[in-house]
Amino acid sequence: MSREPTPETLLRIARDDGQTGVMTHQRPAQAAGRRVALLVLGMHRSGTSALTRIISLAGAGLPRTMIPAGDGNRTGHWESSELVRTNDRIFEAFGLTWSDWQSPDLAAVSFRDRAMMESDLARVIRKEFGPDDMIVVKDPRICRLVPQYLSVFDEMDCRVVPVLAFRHPQEVILSLSARSSWPDDKSALDAALLWLVHTLEAEHETRHLDRIVVSYDRTMRDWRSVVADIEQCGQITLPNGADVIGTAVAEFLNTDERHHNKHGDFFARDTLTMGWVRSVYEAMRLLEADPASPVARAQLDDVRQQINASIPVLLLASNKLVEAQSAKRQAQAELADARQQADEAARQSQDEIAALRQQADDQMQAAQAELADVRQQADEAARQSQDEIAALRQQADDQMQAARAELTNARQQADAAARQSQAELEQGFESEREALSRQYSSALGASEARTQQLLEAKDIVYRSTTSWRVTAPLRSVGRMTKGRWKNTRGLRNAVAVLGGVRPTLAIATRVLRQQGVRGFATRLRQLKANGYQIGNSMPNGNGSSGEYVNLMAAERGDVLFSDWHVALTQAIWDDRPPEPDGATLGLSIVTHNSARWLPGFLTSLAEQNFPLSRLNVAIVDHDSQDNTIDLISAHIAEFGDL
């Protein structure tokens, strides 16, 4: 998690002037005109080093002290070691490292501390690039600090031309995993989130500038067109043309150095990158063709909002995945220890077998020595007596046979003991291996179940978001519209039979005067129960009030749903400027001899709490013969255009 840096911490940023492990570079002579900074922005392992080297060969100035080439990048990094250390200290001030995908909370930094931080950045940039009028600045960490760098370059009166570099995310993830500096406790999920944050922040913070977006594939395939686009976008002329630097570029831009190559259809097979990562990558491809593409920007904004809303769930999932990987590594380490112990036990058993064999050999030698002594004694006795010699020889032969039998028996016992010890060791090793395998399978199953629970929890979070609840009313509009239109067709039939709106209104008025509102409502319910159907004969003054209301409603439906009324209403609404601070409400009103009720309606409309600037009112008059038109005109004069 990020934390607010202290002033003492910020004061230490970029104060280290050490020169350990750096290379020096002679930059081109200063040119006339305002300074230009070509700011290369892109995720780690995305081809920013190759792009920076091409720009420097074309004539842009490099920093004085650069990180030397190594196993991770044998053609060179082409970035300032001093600037990298400064950026690392900024991250450390927030409790982060370059491999953390959480963003530093720069908004929480006070104005004074921010000024101190930017002052240190300006000092390092001036020291590293000197007075060069055209420089190329690169460090993937800058993607997370773009506003601070833009402020520094503005204070230095240096015009910034952003060059956004991106690469297929799966290639970046694989390349990071193979990198020796990638932490062991970081997973592929952390790498994917790190790619998303670098790409989204660099793109969002440079929208207001003229910029170029370049893919790693294009840099490797057609670097000449990339240089031409940089010159056109930045309105600059690089000192060295493509023909001049072609040989030098070919020496280091080697496709053999590209160890990972993925295509777009890989997203369909990879669950880690098929969602947000795929959307951002596709949007960056659109920006490569059109750096101001509104479709791409909207797609990137949507992903950025979703990520911000999901940060708590992502942090929990990342921590659980790290715990699962730690348990896996521990199980593997325990298995390795068990194997080592088994190997040591086997070696010890072999040593015991060798000792038994040595002991048998010693016994054999002792028996042979004793046999020699017996023979010698027999020879001496032979000189004394032939009988004694024969007896001694027989005795010697008996002793030799006994010694041989004893030796054979000792060897058999030693071999049997060795086989039994070997079998016991193998059986113990197999039991230990099976136990460790069951523990690992159990830990892995628990991790997968927990991951599934987290994904389901994430789905619940989405369904509880404001956007899901806000769009709920729209899903009921279709059901409400079907019933309303059915009733309107009935009213239209009634008006058609009775001869139009005016006769219908006249009849309805008489019913209201004679029978009142209650009688009028009773007639209207009867008409609705009959499906808005009336007889074939034309009604007279004594006719049903429900029939008159039917005629009046149908006439009103003819007006509201006619093509000319819809077109007029749409034209009125389209002519009004959009309101940025909220939704706009549209009202459509049809009047005919409405002078009695119209003033009260317009007054209540003007006095309600809804902002009038976000209210569109369309009034269509149906040949009124009273002063309805005059009342509308007076209201417009007082309150403005409806």
Side-chain angles (χ1 to χ4, degrees):
M1 297 298 292
S2 63
R3 57 183 175 86
E4 183 177 354
T6 63
E8 292 77 12
T9 305
L10 290 172
L11 281 173
R12 294 196 301 270
I13 295 175
R15 295 302 188 189
D16 186 3
D17 294 330
Q19 301 293 325
T20 304
V22 298
M23 301 183 300
T24 60
H25 173 75
Q26 300 295 329
R27 296 190 300 281
Q30 180 177 351
R34 187 184 179 191
R35 297 187 72 185
V36 175
L38 299 171
L39 189 60
V40 179
L41 301 173
M43 169 62 181
H44 301 269
R45 318 305 297 171
S46 294
T48 55
S49 298
L51 187 58
T52 302
R53 182 52 177 159
I54 293 174
I55 296 174
S56 69
L57 288 174
L62 287 168
R64 286 189 174 89
T65 57
M66 291 187 293
I67 298 176
D71 294 337
N73 199 338
R74 290 185 292 182
T75 59
H77 296 272
W78 310 106
E79 61 191 26
S80 167
S81 58
E82 291 290 324
L83 208 55
V84 169
R85 281 196 289 268
T86 301
N87 294 332
D88 281 336
R89 290 190 184 94
I90 293 177
F91 283 116
E92 290 172 1
F94 292 92
L96 302 173
T97 65
W98 70 271
S99 61
D100 291 322
W101 56 267
Q102 299 91 335
S103 297
D105 189 8
L106 296 171
V109 181
S110 66
F111 177 81
R112 175 178 174 274
D113 292 340
R114 188 180 298 110
M116 294 170 59
M117 178 175 61
E118 293 178 358
S119 175
D120 285 336
L121 288 174
R123 180 184 62 82
V124 175
I125 292 174
R126 290 190 181 96
K127 173 186 174 183
E128 287 294 294
F129 294 94
D132 289 351
D133 286 339
M134 185 181 300
I135 62 177
V136 55
V137 183
K138 171 253 179 181
D139 178 15
R141 298 164 181 80
I142 300 178
C143 293
R144 319 287 297 280
L145 305 170
V146 172
Q148 285 65 42
Y149 272 82
L150 293 182
S151 176
V152 169
F153 283 122
D154 183 63
E155 290 294 330
M156 296 173 61
D157 192 26
C158 187
R159 182 166 62 91
V160 176
V161 179
V163 182
L164 273 62
F166 70 99
R167 185 181 181 184
H168 194 290
Q170 189 63 27
E171 295 180 14
V172 174
I173 293 172
L174 293 175
S175 182
L176 274 178
S177 300
R179 189 176 180 183
S180 59
S181 60
W182 182 247
D184 293 336
D185 60 346
K186 297 294 183 181
S187 63
L189 174 61
D190 293 308
L193 290 172
L194 194 64
W195 182 91
L196 280 171
V197 171
H198 276 71
T199 305
L200 289 172
E201 292 188 7
E203 186 280 328
H204 185 265
E205 298 298 338
T206 58
R207 287 185 178 179
H208 63 289
L209 299 174
D210 294 332
R211 63 185 182 180
I212 176 176
V213 181
V214 184
S215 65
Y216 182 59
D217 292 333
R218 183 186 175 195
T219 302
M220 299 295 291
R221 183 181 65 253
D222 187 12
W223 62 268
R224 288 179 171 83
S225 67
V226 173
V227 174
D229 286 350
I230 292 175
E231 290 182 322
Q232 181 180 1
C233 175
Q235 298 180 358
I236 59 175
T237 300
L238 293 168
N240 302 325
D243 295 337
V244 176
I245 66 175
T247 302
V249 172
E251 290 179 354
F252 81 91
L253 200 63
N254 188 357
T255 56
D256 294 339
E257 294 295 327
R258 182 174 185 174
H259 305 294
H260 308 283
N261 195 347
K262 300 294 181 181
H263 300 286
D265 57 355
F266 180 83
F267 290 116
R269 307 188 304 270
D270 183 47
T271 56
L272 179 63
T273 58
M274 66 187 301
W276 292 337
V277 175
R278 178 177 185 175
S279 297
V280 172
Y281 179 71
E282 292 174 349
M284 293 301 292
R285 295 295 299 268
L286 292 177
L287 289 177
E288 185 177 22
D290 179 12
S293 170
V295 176
R297 290 185 178 185
Q299 190 168 335
L300 292 170
D301 289 340
D302 183 57
V303 173
R304 181 167 45 256
Q305 293 173 2
Q306 293 182 33
I307 291 177
N308 290 336
S310 304
I311 284 179
V313 177
L314 291 174
L315 286 173
L316 182 60
S318 178
N319 293 335
K320 292 299 181 182
L321 188 57
V322 169
E323 293 176 1
Q325 289 182 337
S326 177
K328 178 181 177 181
R329 287 193 297 270
Q330 183 177 359
Q332 291 175 343
E334 292 177 355
L335 180 60
D337 291 341
R339 288 178 176 174
Q340 183 177 2
Q341 293 176 3
D343 292 339
E344 292 178 356
R347 286 193 297 270
Q348 183 178 1
S349 176
Q350 292 175 354
D351 293 340
E352 292 177 355
I353 293 173
L356 291 174
R357 288 179 176 175
Q358 182 65 37
Q359 183 180 0
D361 292 338
D362 293 341
Q363 291 177 355
M364 181 73 171
Q365 292 176 0
Q368 290 176 349
E370 184 178 358
L371 179 60
D373 292 340
V374 171
R375 285 180 176 176
Q376 184 177 2
Q377 293 175 6
D379 291 339
E380 291 177 356
R383 289 191 296 268
Q384 297 176 2
S385 174
Q386 290 294 331
D387 295 338
E388 292 179 359
I389 292 174
L392 289 174
R393 285 180 177 177
Q394 183 63 38
Q395 182 181 1
D397 292 338
D398 294 341
Q399 291 178 353
M400 180 176 285
Q401 291 179 0
R404 288 176 178 175
E406 183 180 355
L407 178 59
T408 301
N409 186 30
R411 286 181 175 178
Q412 291 176 352
Q413 291 178 358
D415 292 339
R419 286 193 298 270
Q420 182 178 0
S421 177
Q422 184 70 21
E424 291 176 353
L425 289 173
E426 291 177 354
Q427 181 178 3
F429 171 72
E430 183 64 22
S431 299
E432 185 69 16
R433 186 189 65 79
E434 291 177 355
L436 291 175
S437 177
R438 287 193 298 271
Q439 293 177 5
Y440 171 70
S441 299
S442 176
L444 184 60
S447 175
E448 292 175 351
R450 182 56 180 164
T451 302
Q452 182 63 28
Q453 292 176 359
L454 291 174
L455 293 177
E456 293 174 357
K458 179 179 178 182
D459 183 66
I460 294 174
V461 172
Y462 284 154
R463 291 180 177 271
S464 64
T465 58
T466 302
S467 60
W468 182 268
R469 296 195 303 270
V470 169
T471 56
L474 298 179
R475 297 191 284 272
S476 62
V477 171
R479 298 190 298 271
M480 296 173 61
T481 304
K482 293 181 181 178
R484 301 286 185 179
W485 182 246
K486 179 178 179 181
N487 294 338
T488 302
R489 287 200 300 268
L491 294 176
R492 291 162 59 92
N493 177 48
V495 173
V497 173
L498 291 179
V501 174
R502 291 185 179 179
T504 303
L505 292 177
I507 295 171
T509 303
R510 285 195 296 272
V511 171
L512 287 171
R513 290 176 179 175
Q514 295 172 3
Q515 302 181 15
V517 175
R518 181 172 298 177
F520 183 93
T522 302
R523 297 286 186 174
L524 186 59
R525 286 194 297 271
Q526 293 174 355
L527 178 62
K528 181 176 181 181
N530 294 332
Y532 298 98
Q533 300 298 323
I534 61 175
N536 294 327
S537 61
M538 294 297 294
N540 51 31
N542 298 324
S544 169
S545 62
E547 297 173 347
Y548 305 150
V549 174
N550 185 17
L551 293 176
M552 180 176 64
E555 182 67 23
R556 178 65 56 87
D558 289 339
V559 174
L560 290 176
F561 295 99
S562 61
D563 294 339
W564 65 270
H565 177 261
V566 173
L568 177 61
T569 304
Q570 185 67 38
I572 293 174
W573 288 352
D574 290 345
D575 189 51
R576 297 185 68 87
E579 295 293 338
D581 56 346
T584 300
L585 178 63
L587 300 177
S588 179
I589 304 170
V590 179
T591 60
H592 176 70
N593 294 333
S594 306
R596 288 190 304 169
W597 61 267
L598 189 60
F601 169 75
L602 294 177
T603 300
S604 65
L605 188 65
E607 293 178 353
Q608 49 81 40
N609 294 330
F610 193 82
L612 295 180
S613 61
R614 290 161 48 194
L615 185 64
N616 293 336
V617 182
I619 301 179
V620 181
D621 186 72
H622 195 67
D623 194 19
S624 295
Q625 300 301 316
D626 57 3
N627 62 336
T628 297
I629 300 299
D630 296 335
L631 291 174
I632 296 174
S633 300
H635 188 81
I636 292 176
E638 181 178 356
F639 294 98
D641 189 5
L642 296 176

